[in-house]
RNA sequence: UGACCCAUUUAAUC
């Protein structure tokens, strides 16, 4: 399984499949982890029919999909422009006796956000909470992205506050999402405020945050400010990308 | 029953 997964992660689906064949040929029964890795690999390669086939085959082999398998299948469809299919797999989970986990909800929220369907994303968040699944950092960050991409900066900031209130500490993703939004709308003053919050949080900015912040200065026409960030970044030992 | 062990989700620039 580790080898198959390594192949999948490196984009070598062909090798993953041949290891899978070898595995079966030498009498080792693939388990749920094996199938999940392959579904993921097939999804990345856009081979949806093949992924679906394994998704069915595993049940016949007595390996029922678990939440991670469903997640891999949902992502396979979602990343290949089949939101409709992704959603039907998502909706089938309950009936299959598999409860969606935070990853599941987070992915679905992300997919709706990417389509600009902010209200649908909010509905999934509500559903998540109804099911007793607690939103985590990724949930909040994903929702913030949905808002900023939809031009609702204020709502994104509200999410940051909601996040803190729920005891989930914002991370570098949270800040970079807001900084990027400020940069894209040339709201330098907001960006400066967010960057200040970040410093006070005790987190150390990384290259993504610095890049977004330089962008905020740059787009606002403040070259000196941008250079100042650049110097700070190098001083902090942060390597440019 | 639980923990651990192999597989899943979010940000900038290009």
């Amino acid at each position: 399984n580790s080898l198959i997964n390594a192949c999948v992660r490196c984009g070598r689906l062909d090798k993953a499949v041949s290891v899978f064949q070898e595995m079966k040929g030498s009498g080792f029964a693939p388990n749920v982890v094996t199938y999940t890795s392959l579904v993921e690999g097939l999804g990345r390669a856009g081979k949806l029919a093949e992924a679906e086939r394994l998704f069915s085959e595993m049940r016949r082999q007595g390996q029922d999909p678990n939440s991670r398998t469903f997640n891999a299948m949902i992502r396979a469809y979602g990343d290949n422009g089949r939101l409709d299919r992704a959603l039907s797999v998502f909706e089938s989970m309950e009936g299959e006796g598999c409860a969606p986990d935070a990853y599941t909800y987070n992915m679905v929220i992300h997919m709706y956000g990417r389509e600009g369907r902010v209200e649908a994303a909010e509905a999934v968040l509500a559903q998540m909470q109804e099911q007793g699944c607690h939103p985590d950092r990724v949930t909040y960050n994903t929702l913030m992205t949905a808002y900023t991409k939809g031009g609702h900066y204020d709502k994104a900031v509200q999410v940051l506050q909601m996040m803190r209130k729920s005891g989930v500490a914002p991370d570098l993703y949270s800040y970079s999402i807001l900084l990027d939004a400020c940069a894209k709308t040339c709201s330098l003053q907001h960006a400066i405020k967010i960057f200040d919050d970040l410093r006070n949080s005790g987190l150390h900015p990384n290259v993504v945050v610095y890049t977004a912040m330089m962008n905020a200065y740059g787009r606002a026409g403040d070259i000196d400010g941008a250079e100042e960030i650049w110097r700070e970044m190098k001083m902090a030992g942060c390597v440019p990308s």
Side-chain angles (χ1 to χ4, degrees):
Chain A
N1 285 348
S2 294
L3 183 54
I4 288 174
N5 189 241
C7 295
V8 167
R9 278 203 320 249
C10 299
R12 296 298 307 269
L13 179 63
D14 51 334
K15 282 205 179 206
V17 170
S18 69
V19 174
F20 178 57
Q21 303 297 359
E22 181 185 343
M23 185 178 185
K24 289 200 284 194
S26 39
F28 288 98
N31 67 9
V32 60
V33 174
T34 322
Y35 284 107
T36 301
S37 293
L38 288 166
V39 167
E40 186 191 333
L42 289 164
R44 284 193 197 184
K47 304 192 171 190
L48 298 176
E50 284 289 293
E52 189 67 56
R53 200 180 59 72
L54 276 190
F55 194 52
S56 305
E57 177 189 309
M58 63 188 295
R59 300 164 214 256
R60 292 194 298 273
Q61 300 300 324
Q63 294 291 324
D64 285 342
N66 62 19
S67 62
R68 292 189 177 203
T69 323
F70 278 96
N71 293 348
M73 200 64 230
I74 290 168
R75 179 157 196 186
Y77 280 128
D79 284 353
N80 286 286
R82 298 303 306 263
L83 181 60
D84 55 332
R85 293 250 182 182
L87 294 173
S88 45
V89 174
F90 171 55
E91 281 154 16
S92 74
M93 290 180 77
E94 190 181 358
E96 298 235 23
C98 183
D101 61 14
Y103 281 76
T104 318
Y105 290 113
N106 292 345
M107 280 192 304
V108 175
I109 290 170
H110 179 243
M111 287 172 190
Y112 275 130
R114 194 167 51 189
E115 301 280 313
R117 299 173 63 177
V118 177
E119 291 183 0
E122 288 170 345
V124 175
L125 173 68
Q127 185 187 344
M128 179 179 188
Q129 290 171 311
E130 277 165 27
Q131 298 301 315
C133 185
H134 297 290
D136 60 15
R137 275 187 183 77
V138 175
T139 314
Y140 291 118
N141 290 341
T142 303
L143 197 60
M144 284 202 298
T145 303
Y147 283 132
T148 58
K149 299 290 183 199
H152 310 286
Y153 179 74
D154 295 346
K155 287 203 171 190
V157 172
Q158 285 171 23
V159 173
L160 186 76
Q161 286 155 358
M162 185 196 306
M163 192 171 181
R164 292 197 175 109
K165 239 188 336 202
S166 330
V168 178
D171 62 8
L172 292 177
Y173 280 68
S174 321
Y175 291 105
S176 70
I177 290 160
L178 295 177
L179 288 173
D180 178 52
C182 295
K184 302 278 161 70
T185 57
C186 298
S187 316
L188 181 56
Q189 295 315 312
H190 289 286
I192 291 173
K193 213 165 82 192
I194 299 294
F195 198 59
D196 214 50
D197 276 3
L198 165 52
R199 293 186 193 293
N200 294 332
S201 75
L203 292 170
H204 296 290
N206 64 7
V207 64
V208 175
V209 167
Y210 282 125
T211 306
M213 193 60 193
M214 278 192 290
N215 224 252
Y217 276 108
R219 289 184 183 234
D222 187 340
I223 309 295
D224 295 338
E227 260 194 306
E228 178 63 30
I229 298 294
W230 169 250
R231 275 194 295 273
E232 180 185 328
M233 172 173 142
K234 285 191 296 186
M235 287 280 290
C238 190
V239 183
S241 50

